[in-house]
Amino acid sequence: MPLQTEANGQVAAVSSLTGEQLWQTRTSVEASGQPTYDDRTGTLYLAGISGRVAALDTRKGELLWETGAHADQPASGESVRSQVLAYGGALIVSTPDGTLFSVDPAHPERKSSSG
């Protein structure tokens, strides 16, 4: 199912057959980079320029969880986006200001490792 993400944190799923919108959910993830999809769990992970991370259940369009900000906001006009990658059971996130950290998707409330 095609997904659309917007700079204001909104995510929508569209039917590949009809083009109809299936669901729409708002997150606090601003200007997200390329999302990462876990086909095993049906979860979409987004990371914003401030290092906020969100998890969405793509079957229902439900926001599962969000983290707070982990990085400084980039300078105005900066075009670099955050990245989120799934690796070894963790989410590895990089932000435009050079912050690198990990999030355990099973326990996103735990303090993350950063460098």
Side-chain angles (χ1 to χ4, degrees):
M1 120 184 37
L3 296 163
Q4 301 170 336
T5 59
E6 297 181 19
N8 66 0
Q10 194 144 308
V11 182
V14 227
S15 167
S16 55
L17 297 175
T18 66
E20 282 185 62
Q21 184 172 299
L22 302 172
W23 53 259
Q24 184 173 11
T25 302
R26 172 145 343 250
T27 73
S28 63
V29 174
E30 68 289 52
S32 68
Q34 181 68 35
T36 292
Y37 178 70
D38 182 342
D39 59 358
R40 185 179 50 82
T41 63
T43 305
L44 182 74
Y45 298 104
L46 304 158
I49 56 176
S50 68
R52 290 183 198 280
V53 181
L56 289 160
D57 178 333
T58 59
R59 294 168 286 223
K60 301 175 187 173
E62 245 175 50
L63 180 63
L64 300 172
W65 52 261
E66 288 183 318
T67 69
H70 286 86
D72 294 329
Q73 293 284 350
S76 136
E78 192 160 339
S79 63
V80 177
R81 300 277 191 194
S82 292
Q83 295 283 328
V84 60
L85 301 168
Y87 181 78
L91 300 173
I92 310 301
V93 182
S94 65
T95 63
D97 75 346
T99 301
L100 183 66
F101 63 94
S102 66
V103 174
D104 178 350
H107 302 282
E109 73 284 354
R110 290 185 184 162
K111 181 135 174 77
S112 68
S113 302
S114 62

